[in-house]
Amino acid sequence: MTREQYILATQQNSLPRTEHPQFYPVGIYGWRKRCLYFFVLLLLVTMIVNLAMTIWILKVMNFTVDSPLVLQSDRNVTVNARNHMGQLTGQLTVGADAVEAQSKRFEVRASEGGKILFSADEDEIVIGADRLKVTGTEGAVFGHSVETPHIRAEPSQDLKLESPTRSLVMEAPRGVQVNAAAGDLKATCRKELHLQSTEGEIFLNADTIRLGNLPVGSFSSSSSSPSSTAPRQTIYELCVCPNGKLYLSPAGASSTCQSSSNICLWS
């Protein structure tokens, strides 16, 4: 190789190449791009529709921050409570005719302190309020026994315990006390009133004891025949028949119960 050929060969190898590099596009083009835009637009429309529906429901149901929650229905409103197995454990139904609650225990508590005001279950009903007030005209009607430490009427009102067709029984192991601090105490019955003490005495303590409507026996002695000039009888003697019936006999110098004991014959 001559020198000229070597120089020419080296110059051709050192010349820069003028070929253009190849570029590969990156991205989504064509129908894929159009589908992506369509799904983005569909998602945007769905979000707008959901937001509009949520605002409409809040407006219709009156869901506000300051106003109470109101649930309305043409028939009734039922709230159910279920356990982890799906079984019904409690139900509250508000209807047009009644409000029904079905549960093992129903409680009403005070807003302050959480004190139980009313509770009911299968065994008992507890009223924990300081005062139980019955405003009905017929009062309170109890089918069986009632246990209470205190019964009191409203101020300026009468207290009445009545059993229209059966007997009225008040029992206590350490005594029964009936007290009228500023008025009269009256006990009336249609047939018989029994005051009985099995191991003690019946003590009547009063300034005046009156026994009204007692029959008056006639004094049958011949020496005391009625006379127009005889003074009006104003003093009588209280007599007792063998069966316990009381009657009055005109008082004399001595006891006249035997003389006017004809009352005991008819008793």
Side-chain angles (χ1 to χ4, degrees):
M1 177 182 290
T2 61
R3 182 177 181 180
E4 290 79 4
Q5 293 176 347
Y6 175 77
I7 294 173
L8 182 61
T10 54
Q11 289 179 352
Q12 291 178 355
N13 293 332
S14 61
L15 291 176
R17 296 180 180 180
T18 58
E19 295 180 358
H20 298 284
Q22 295 181 358
F23 296 97
Y24 297 96
V26 178
I28 300 176
Y29 298 94
W31 65 271
R32 294 184 179 88
K33 186 176 182 180
R34 290 191 295 270
C35 290
L36 179 62
Y37 288 161
F38 173 76
F39 284 120
V40 172
L41 181 61
L42 181 62
L43 180 61
L44 181 61
V45 172
T46 304
M47 292 176 59
I48 295 175
V49 172
N50 287 338
L51 181 60
M53 291 293 294
T54 303
I55 297 176
W56 179 75
I57 293 175
L58 293 176
K59 184 66 175 178
V60 172
M61 298 300 294
N62 294 326
F63 289 153
T64 58
V65 178
D66 301 327
S67 300
L69 177 63
V70 179
L71 300 178
Q72 295 182 354
S73 175
D74 295 337
R75 295 185 179 180
N76 54 38
V77 176
T78 302
V79 179
N80 295 331
R82 300 181 182 274
N83 56 13
H84 64 282
M85 299 180 61
Q87 297 176 351
L88 184 65
T89 58
Q91 185 180 74
L92 177 63
T93 303
V94 181
D97 299 331
V99 177
E100 298 180 359
Q102 298 181 7
S103 61
K104 294 182 178 180
R105 183 176 179 86
F106 179 77
E107 292 184 357
V108 178
R109 293 181 177 268
S111 58
E112 297 180 359
K115 179 182 178 181
I116 296 179
L117 301 179
F118 178 85
S119 65
D121 55 21
E122 295 180 357
D123 299 328
E124 64 179 2
I125 295 177
V126 178
I127 299 176
D130 296 334
R131 177 181 298 179
L132 173 62
K133 185 175 182 180
V134 180
T135 58
T137 56
E138 297 296 331
V141 179
F142 301 95
H144 299 283
S145 61
V146 178
E147 181 179 354
T148 176
H150 190 194
I151 299 178
R152 183 180 63 184
E154 289 290 335
S156 303
Q157 299 292 331
D158 297 333
L159 176 62
K160 185 177 182 181
L161 302 178
E162 181 183 11
S163 178
T165 59
R166 293 295 185 267
S167 60
L168 178 62
V169 179
M170 292 186 293
E171 296 180 350
R174 300 183 60 181
V176 177
Q177 181 179 0
V178 182
N179 184 22
D184 299 334
L185 179 62
K186 184 179 180 181
T188 59
C189 64
R190 185 173 179 270
K191 291 184 178 181
E192 297 179 354
L193 177 63
H194 295 274
L195 298 178
Q196 181 180 1
S197 178
T198 57
E199 298 181 0
E201 62 182 4
I202 297 176
F203 181 66
L204 301 178
N205 184 12
D207 296 336
T208 302
I209 298 177
R210 296 182 179 180
L211 302 176
N213 298 326
L214 291 179
V216 179
S218 60
F219 188 59
S220 59
S221 176
S222 59
S223 60
S224 59
S225 58
S227 175
S228 60
T229 60
R232 184 173 178 269
Q233 184 71 30
T234 58
I235 300 176
Y236 293 88
E237 180 181 359
L238 181 62
C239 304
V240 183
C241 293
N243 60 357
K245 184 177 181 179
L246 299 179
Y247 66 96
L248 298 179
S249 178
S254 61
S255 178
T256 60
C257 290
Q258 296 295 332
S259 301
S260 58
S261 61
N262 59 330
I263 297 296
C264 298
L265 300 177
W266 300 98
S267 60

